[in-house]
Amino acid sequence: MNGNAPYRGRLAPSPTGLLHLGHARTFFTAFTRASNASGTLLMRMDDLDTDRSRAEYIDATLEDLAWLGIRWTEPVIYQSRRHALYLDAWHRLAQLGWLYPCSCTRRELASIATAPHELEQQPQPDDEPIYPGTCRSASSNISHGNPGNQNWRFRVPDGEVVEFLDKNLGPQRFTAGVDFGDFLVWRRDGTPSYQLACAVDDADLAITEVVRGADLLKSTARQILILRALSQPQPAWFHCPLVTDQNNQRLAKRHDALAIRKLRAQGRTVADILHGNFGLI
Ligand code: GLU
């Protein structure tokens, strides 16, 4: 981590739905931290999921954030246009022996996801279930120089503790192989995973501090492993508490009633959205 570099942050929305109250507060925190540091704030659109990303959500996201008074440095960076960079990272990681191809089917993985011990742990909706290592010993022959039509996983150093000091939530500690397993870095449809693309972008864009929701704490541990494997420095981390609904469930894009534009249409002000209580938290 380079503590002396000028602050460079990023907003990284996924255009797969409308932004809700929780996003507004996290993005506003990112904006405020960048402004207070007289730093730069980039806008990175995480639009790699071609099935779920929509142009109308990109427009809605940019408009909602602008309405909230959040400003960023143009131009907007689209992950969908940075394929070559991710492919290069796949290649370097594969050459260094960190990756292996995985031929497990969706059905096989789904049966793992519903194993009783996983249910007890109540994994976060976005979190991958712990991979049992079925394909770990597969030969990672990369003679073709490209990932081909296969899934690729990162071989995590089992038992290694990944620690970081979160600037908001304090010391964090996750054990590879226990809190998360060998995670996807490349999908057979030819796209990099969120973990790979995010780590590569944060390094390439020289981000000094990542501000995002606390649902991504375990992703941070995975991304630290990717950054280390690529010999890249780590940014600082600042995870924001999640906004939850009346039932203590974290807000998701399906909570349309709390979408920023719906609240705005009901006459809620920017101050209400950023600081109001709504009987939720
Ligand atoms: N695009 C990701 C999301 O909306 C967040 C990425 C990040 O801040 O690293 O969940």
Side-chain angles (χ1 to χ4, degrees):
M1 211 179 298
N2 181 351
N4 299 323
Y7 188 103
R8 264 170 89 78
R10 86 298 195 274
L11 305 167
S14 298
T16 54
L18 294 174
L19 296 187
H20 58 58
L21 201 65
H23 297 116
R25 293 179 181 186
T26 297
F27 290 137
F28 190 73
T29 302
F31 170 67
T32 306
R33 291 185 63 78
S35 305
N36 289 348
S38 307
T40 303
L41 187 64
L42 305 178
M43 169 64 79
R44 183 188 86 199
M45 202 49 79
D46 287 0
D47 60 345
L48 285 173
D49 181 343
T50 45
D51 287 339
R52 292 166 63 225
S53 297
R54 301 254 182 283
E56 59 264 35
Y57 291 137
I58 294 179
D59 294 345
T61 295
L62 297 175
E63 199 186 289
D64 287 349
L65 292 177
W67 177 73
L68 289 166
I70 294 173
R71 303 281 176 261
W72 54 88
T73 308
E74 296 284 356
V76 176
I77 296 156
Y78 292 90
Q79 286 195 319
S80 58
R81 300 180 192 169
R82 293 165 65 80
H83 191 80
L85 198 72
Y86 310 135
L87 194 56
D88 180 61
W90 169 84
H91 200 248
R92 277 185 289 148
L93 291 171
Q95 265 181 334
L96 290 166
W98 286 104
L99 310 184
Y100 62 87
C102 173
S103 58
C104 292
T105 61
R106 247 173 229 258
R107 181 184 296 217
E108 284 161 348
L109 295 172
S111 68
I112 302 160
T114 53
H117 70 278
E118 282 289 335
L119 288 178
E120 278 160 27
Q121 288 172 11
Q122 294 193 321
Q124 295 286 349
D126 295 345
D127 220 7
E128 298 181 35
I130 294 183
Y131 181 67
T134 320
C135 297
R136 242 192 177 192
S137 55
S139 133
S140 53
N141 184 342
I142 56 160
S143 55
H144 301 301
N146 67 60
N149 298 326
Q150 331 189 60
N151 288 326
W152 289 77
R153 292 184 181 275
F154 189 99
R155 190 191 308 274
V156 305
D158 277 338
E160 188 173 320
V161 175
V162 182
E163 286 179 293
F164 58 94
L165 182 63
D166 189 86
K167 286 190 157 177
N168 193 32
L169 303 177
Q172 302 295 315
R173 190 186 152 90
F174 297 98
T175 307
V178 176
D179 292 313
F180 58 90
D182 291 353
F183 55 88
L184 266 188
V185 292
W186 203 270
R187 297 175 203 288
R188 54 167 70 95
D189 68 2
T191 52
S193 71
Y194 158 68
Q195 308 296 353
L196 181 72
C198 183
V200 167
D201 278 339
D202 286 335
D204 180 69
L205 300 169
I207 298 303
T208 61
E209 182 177 275
V210 167
V211 178
R212 60 185 172 200
D215 53 328
L216 292 169
L217 281 166
K218 268 193 210 175
S219 289
T220 296
R222 297 180 179 103
Q223 290 166 23
I224 287 174
L225 291 179
I226 296 177
L227 291 168
R228 274 195 211 152
L230 291 171
S231 307
Q232 294 290 337
Q234 257 186 71
W237 309 102
F238 187 106
H239 289 81
C240 301
L242 299 181
V243 178
T244 54
D245 68 10
Q246 300 88 328
N247 304 319
N248 211 22
Q249 296 292 311
R250 68 176 197 150
L251 295 191
K253 285 182 174 145
R254 63 179 178 278
H255 284 79
D256 259 7
L258 296 171
I260 297 170
R261 51 191 43 214
K262 300 238 166 104
L263 295 171
R264 178 181 171 188
Q266 289 162 13
R268 300 286 192 163
T269 63
V270 170
D272 286 340
I273 290 176
L274 295 178
H275 312 292
N277 184 319
F278 290 90
L280 287 166
I281 38 181

